[in-house]
Amino acid sequence: MAARYFTAFQRGTTRDRPFYDPHLPSYSSAVREKLDLQSSGRQWLMPITGSTRRIRLQSLSPAPRSRLARVGRRRVFVCRCVAFLAVVCAMAVIVLMLLGTEESHWTPPFRDSTLVFGRENLQHIWKWEIESGHYPSNGKIPEQIGFTSAILNPALPPAKAHTLISPFTPPPGPVTTITRGVGPRRSYLENQKQSIGAAYPPRPISGSIADLDIILEQCNFSEGKYVRDCLEFLRVSAGLDNGRRLRRGSVDGWKYAFMEEDRPEEEIPPRATQAAPIVPAGPYPTGRQISNAGLMKKRNVHWEPPLELPPPEQPSVGSNRSTPCDPENLRLFHMFWAGPFNEKPYVALLSFLFTQNLGLHLEPGQDLDACHPQIWLWINPGPAAAVPNPSALTDMYDALKTNPWAAPFLHPRFKNVIKFRLWNTTEQLDSNLELRDEWRKMDTLFNSGGVTVSVPAEQPAGNSSTTLSKTGDMVHRLGSKSEATYDRLSVILSDMARFIVTHRYGGIYLDADTIFLRDWEELWGWKGAFAYRWSYHEDYNTAVLHLNKGSALGSFLFRTALKNGFDFHPVAVSKYLKEAHLENLLLRVPDALFDPAWLNTEGYQLERPTYPFFAGFADFFDTPEVQSAAPQVVGFEGFFRGAFSYHFHNFWWKPFDPARNWPDLGQKFAGGERAARAAANPHADPDDWSDKITDDKRDLDWATVLKRTFEAYIRGERPNMYGEWLRW
């Protein structure tokens, strides 16, 4: 039968091009053929007939054809199911985002947003800050804000006129990202010339302003700039290398400080010419407007109502004021301290006296022809969760008077520059318009980066029970006495306190583990808000924080934190600003200015480190032996020269001067020194005290050298860093 089949099949073919293979298998029936195919594996060599010859290709899979067919069908079915589900999910997302109301914008559950302000509010914040003169930067306004007309900026000078517009310049888009400068012109100061015979650098010119845009260009870590090079740029431009400059080329291009020039009245544009920004709107398919399109709102909350802000004040040029200081915006440094006053705030205050222009070199009663700053030290007298008693203020001053570390700063010579303030959480929160009606409804006030600590109601803080739980022990801590007993609640409280005091009083907040290294005159001139960068991360560190008093930015931060668990951790604040497109309103200054060792301690820029080089922050207190000769040789003048401050990151339990752990300020404060010596050496006889060099540590650490340098200035044994002697 098979022979007849093949014979019949061959009749219609030509001899040169056969259509059958004489070696193909033959079967007596279709059933046998099927059974044979199922029982035998697929051949490794498959014949493929071409036009002139047959080609045998090796099969990649010896699996049976029927099995491959079944697997293929399953794969097709699964792929179709997955594709169908993907289409359904995509359509659901589109429907929820487009057809839902503005108050119910859908947010993916795996990434909750912190945003609670709509576009009109964000535009209002931007416009208020710019018109108030709080945006002296050339940074772009994010497109997401949606301004369609430029805002007049009184903090920027007018742009230089262009005589030729390039034909390749693209046409303006539907939104604008720039402001139009209408402020005073800037005159950049020449670098301080080398003074022959001058042993100390000059102070910054009164009223000079640091252009943080230029500093960012020279010091931006994201652009590959080194901290070492940044510090050289800062000290050369400020003349801090006076008498020690080794550069032979011209450094005229290294200029960041400027003065504002007065403008004639006819050049000042009227404020009425400001055009109100237009909100870009796109219709829903249903016809409703999408004023908040592109903004991802926090789930389960409503958009915030319009912010109530006072009219923006017209900024004034310093030369137009009758006094060096603006009475409405005093130059206030703020610090926060919890627990007994010890050598940490003591050294911070000494560094303030040693570096800032306070007029202490003048005779008492003689006025300083410059605006001198003050430092307000906020003291929380009890545990972070405690409520101050009615006599807390009196108790605080009584404790300061009897504390040898604090008593020297109560001297009348310092009364106008150092002030102690009692911290009262309840009073401060009730004074804040954005918080006072809602803060009591919060589950807890202690939230740091999403980690909350609840204060037990049955264990009020301040109770001296000896059997405390782990949480209770944390609640009752007052100050960090060791690494194991870190006062976490006071740290969380300080995260909030810095925003409270700068928003209420204005000024610059600094952590108490900060040491001043130079005059901050030029930073006071920058009217914009700023903090500094968190090492190599694109986040803020608010160990230094400048906010303007009663600003729209501050109102935004408080309302946003209130809706996000009362979290004021720097990383949380970074997220608030990023998701609201307000990052440029809080300028992220390079950490080289305030924290020059940070990148090195985290393993960055080790090929070209700063000087001194710290592998860890502990090196400041325990300088490695191979480097321990440097502190005494180069002294304060060689410690991160050019930086504005140094942040040693906690280490509250490490003494600055282990060999002489007491205030050493001379005969004016001998009583306090005697009490502190007795506490440091309880077994020594006070009558036998004698200072022998053999009792001192052989190699002095950096912390010790800085403390003793500041103390020598108070004792009258040396001038401050600018060559000015303290006059009592």
Side-chain angles (χ1 to χ4, degrees):
M1 180 177 179
R4 290 197 300 271
Y5 172 77
F6 284 113
T7 303
F9 185 77
Q10 190 179 8
R11 288 173 184 170
T13 64
T14 62
R15 295 181 180 180
D16 296 334
R17 299 180 62 186
F19 281 86
Y20 71 95
D21 187 349
H23 300 290
L24 290 175
S26 58
Y27 303 97
S28 59
S29 66
V31 176
R32 287 186 173 275
E33 179 181 2
K34 184 175 181 179
L35 292 174
D36 182 70
L37 292 174
Q38 290 180 354
S39 61
S40 61
R42 188 176 180 184
Q43 295 181 2
W44 284 95
L45 295 177
M46 299 174 57
I48 298 179
T49 305
S51 58
T52 58
R53 62 171 61 185
R54 289 177 299 176
I55 304 174
R56 293 183 179 269
L57 298 177
Q58 185 174 0
S59 174
L60 298 179
S61 175
R65 291 191 180 97
S66 59
R67 189 180 305 170
L68 290 175
R70 288 197 300 272
V71 172
R73 286 194 295 271
R74 290 174 184 169
R75 288 179 178 174
V76 172
F77 177 76
V78 171
C79 291
R80 289 177 177 176
C81 290
V82 172
F84 176 76
L85 292 175
V87 171
V88 170
C89 292
M91 293 179 64
V93 170
I94 294 174
V95 170
L96 287 172
M97 294 184 67
L98 294 182
L99 298 184
T101 61
E102 288 184 336
E103 289 74 19
S104 61
H105 279 317
W106 183 77
T107 303
F110 54 83
R111 182 185 176 273
D112 193 11
S113 174
T114 63
L115 183 62
V116 295
F117 283 89
R119 180 169 280 108
E120 290 187 12
N121 257 328
L122 298 180
Q123 289 183 338
H124 188 195
I125 293 170
W126 266 100
K127 190 169 183 288
W128 190 94
E129 292 287 350
I130 294 172
E131 292 182 352
S132 299
H134 299 166
Y135 195 60
S137 172
N138 286 299
K140 301 291 186 181
I141 301 175
E143 293 182 356
Q144 294 86 344
I145 297 300
F147 283 135
T148 58
S149 58
I151 306 297
L152 303 184
N153 190 347
L156 278 182
K160 295 180 179 180
H162 295 285
T163 57
L164 179 64
I165 299 178
S166 171
F168 302 101
T169 302
V175 297
T176 183
T177 61
I178 60 174
T179 61
R180 179 184 161 201
V182 293
R185 301 187 184 277
R186 297 177 177 180
S187 175
Y188 285 85
L189 304 175
E190 296 295 331
N191 289 322
Q192 298 285 353
K193 303 300 182 182
Q194 294 278 64
S195 300
I196 300 177
Y200 298 94
R203 280 200 181 272
I205 298 175
S206 178
S208 59
I209 304 170
D211 190 332
L212 295 185
D213 283 344
I214 294 178
I215 292 178
L216 186 61
E217 292 176 1
Q218 295 288 337
C219 304
N220 192 355
F221 173 75
S222 297
E223 301 296 330
K225 305 297 184 180
Y226 282 82
V227 174
R228 173 196 290 188
D229 300 331
C230 173
L231 296 185
E232 183 183 13
F233 165 74
L234 293 173
R235 65 175 174 265
V236 169
S237 183
L240 296 178
D241 62 341
N242 188 31
R244 301 183 180 184
R245 185 174 301 174
L246 300 177
R247 294 287 185 185
R248 299 299 298 161
S250 174
V251 292
D252 291 341
W254 285 2
K255 294 185 290 188
Y256 68 80
F258 65 89
M259 299 288 290
E260 291 183 334
E261 299 177 350
D262 296 337
R263 296 186 63 188
E265 291 293 333
E266 59 271 12
E267 291 188 14
I268 301 177
R271 295 181 63 116
T273 59
Q274 297 245 25
I278 301 173
V279 178
Y284 276 113
T286 58
R288 294 194 301 269
Q289 296 298 309
I290 323 174
S291 61
N292 294 321
L295 300 179
M296 185 177 293
K297 182 172 68 66
K298 182 178 177 62
R299 294 198 307 269
N300 303 322
V301 298
H302 296 289
W303 290 115
E304 283 285 301
L307 277 177
E308 297 181 3
L309 299 171
E313 296 182 0
Q314 183 72 29
S316 60
V317 180
S319 58
N320 293 335
R321 293 192 294 265
S322 58
T323 59
C325 291
D326 182 356
E328 297 299 323
N329 296 282
L330 298 177
R331 295 185 174 184
L332 300 177
F333 287 111
H334 301 274
M335 281 188 177
F336 182 88
W337 184 253
F341 197 100
N342 60 19
E343 81 277 5
K344 296 305 186 299
Y346 165 83
V347 172
L349 293 181
L350 287 181
S351 69
F352 168 75
L353 298 175
F354 187 77
T355 58
Q356 304 309 300
N357 193 8
L358 308 175
L360 298 178
H361 61 290
L362 304 176
E363 294 292 340
Q366 187 177 353
D367 293 332
L368 177 68
D369 189 21
C371 183
H372 71 78
Q374 304 175 34
I375 187 165
W376 289 8
L377 185 63
W378 295 90
I379 296 181
N380 190 34
V387 178
N389 59 57
S391 62
L393 182 61
T394 303
D395 295 343
M396 181 190 76
Y397 275 104
D398 290 342
L400 293 174
K401 292 175 183 177
T402 58
N403 187 314
W405 296 103
F409 303 112
L410 296 175
H411 192 281
R413 191 69 175 103
F414 307 134
K415 67 178 181 179
N416 293 326
V417 294
I418 297 178
K419 299 181 183 297
F420 294 95
R421 294 284 187 260
L422 176 69
W423 174 262
N424 185 324
T425 302
T426 302
E427 188 274 332
Q428 292 289 346
L429 292 178
D430 284 342
S431 68
N432 188 289
L433 297 178
E434 291 79 17
L435 301 177
R436 63 185 181 186
D437 296 330
E438 299 182 53
W439 70 267
R440 289 179 173 84
K441 302 175 184 178
M442 303 299 298
D443 295 333
T444 180
L445 299 181
F446 300 99
N447 183 358
S448 179
V451 179
T452 60
V453 179
S454 298
V455 179
E458 66 277 6
Q459 285 187 345
N463 183 13
S464 58
S465 174
T466 57
T467 58
L468 296 174
S469 64
K470 182 177 181 181
T471 302
D473 180 56
M474 181 186 300
V475 169
H476 291 77
R477 288 176 188 167
L478 182 57
S480 300
K481 300 176 178 60
S482 68
E483 191 171 3
T485 59
Y486 189 66
D487 188 1
R488 183 61 180 165
L489 288 191
S490 292
V491 174
I492 298 175
L493 181 61
S494 74
D495 285 342
M496 174 189 68
R498 66 196 66 196
F499 288 95
I500 294 285
V501 297
T502 51
H503 183 68
R504 183 177 182 181
Y505 303 100
I508 300 176
Y509 170 89
L510 299 94
D511 277 346
D513 51 354
T514 299
I515 297 174
F516 291 91
L517 297 181
R518 57 180 286 196
D519 195 332
W520 285 41
E521 169 72 28
E522 299 159 340
L523 292 179
W524 285 113
W526 181 267
K527 300 304 181 184
F530 62 80
Y532 73 91
R533 181 172 179 152
W534 186 296
S535 185
Y536 60 92
H537 299 282
E538 293 284 352
D539 293 320
Y540 294 98
N541 186 6
T542 54
V544 173
L545 173 69
H546 175 226
L547 285 183
N548 290 289
K549 182 170 63 175
S551 66
L553 178 62
S555 298
F556 161 83
L557 289 171
F558 287 119
R559 294 301 304 175
T560 302
L562 191 67
K563 300 299 182 179
N564 287 275
F566 222 66
D567 191 352
F568 287 93
H569 189 276
V571 175
V573 172
S574 302
K575 188 176 182 182
Y576 302 160
L577 295 171
K578 181 176 182 180
E579 294 180 343
H581 310 288
L582 300 179
E583 282 185 299
N584 284 357
L585 288 181
L586 185 66
L587 186 64
R588 191 184 294 112
V589 178
D591 57 357
L593 277 69
F594 309 117
D595 209 336
W598 202 353
L599 285 171
N600 284 167
T601 62
E602 297 202 346
Y604 288 86
Q605 300 188 355
L606 298 182
E607 69 281 6
R608 298 186 68 235
T610 59
Y611 185 84
F613 167 69
F614 291 161
F617 289 112
D619 290 356
F620 175 64
F621 295 95
D622 300 310
T623 305
E625 189 171 358
V626 295
Q627 305 174 19
S628 57
Q632 296 180 71
V633 175
V634 301
F636 172 85
E637 289 74 18
F639 187 77
F640 295 110
R641 193 70 160 176
F644 285 87
S645 62
Y646 174 71
H647 184 204
F648 56 81
H649 289 253
N650 306 318
F651 288 93
W652 307 112
W653 47 92
K654 285 277 191 181
F656 271 84
D657 193 349
R660 301 176 63 85
N661 192 22
W662 56 78
D664 188 7
L665 301 178
Q667 290 301 315
K668 286 185 178 294
F669 308 102
E673 178 184 342
R674 186 178 180 86
R677 276 199 179 202
N681 302 304
H683 303 294
D685 186 355
D687 296 332
D688 295 336
W689 283 342
S690 61
D691 291 330
K692 298 179 181 179
I693 195 170
T694 55
D695 296 334
D696 204 356
K697 187 177 179 181
R698 192 67 187 90
D699 296 321
L700 301 183
D701 303 305
W702 276 109
T704 301
V705 168
L706 265 59
K707 171 181 175 288
R708 295 188 184 183
T709 300
F710 304 149
E711 290 174 331
Y713 167 66
I714 302 297
R715 292 196 303 267
E717 297 174 4
R718 64 154 292 166
N720 62 19
M721 69 171 294
Y722 295 101
E724 301 162 348
W725 293 84
L726 174 60
R727 295 181 181 271
W728 293 96

